[in-house]
Amino acid sequence: MIEVKRGKLTKLFNVDKELQKSTLIQLSQELDQLINQYLKYMKSLQKENDDS
């Protein structure tokens, strides 16, 4: 009985670790996108400055 529960807990724990990994990957990708957008924005401001 205890062995079965331990197996289920281990499975749940592994699933949780996988979820954490995918969440971290997703967050880092979103962060990359935000940084890229910010850099593009800064470049466009710089360009506007240079033009005027």
Side-chain angles (χ1 to χ4, degrees), residues 5-28:
K5 284 185 180 175
R6 185 179 292 168
K8 281 185 181 173
L9 277 175
T10 305
K11 263 187 202 161
L12 280 173
F13 184 70
N14 287 337
V15 166
D16 190 47
K17 279 201 304 202
E18 287 304 308
L19 277 174
Q20 285 177 350
K21 260 190 241 170
S22 66
T23 303
L24 273 177
I25 290 169
Q26 201 174 350
L27 282 173
S28 66

Side-chain angles (χ1 to χ4, degrees), residues 2 4 12 15-16 25 27 29 34 38 41 44 47 51:
I2 291 172
V4 170
L12 280 173
V15 166
D16 190 47
I25 290 169
L27 282 173
Q29 286 171 345
L34 281 173
Y38 173 74
Y41 173 68
S44 72
K47 198 173 181 184
D51 289 346

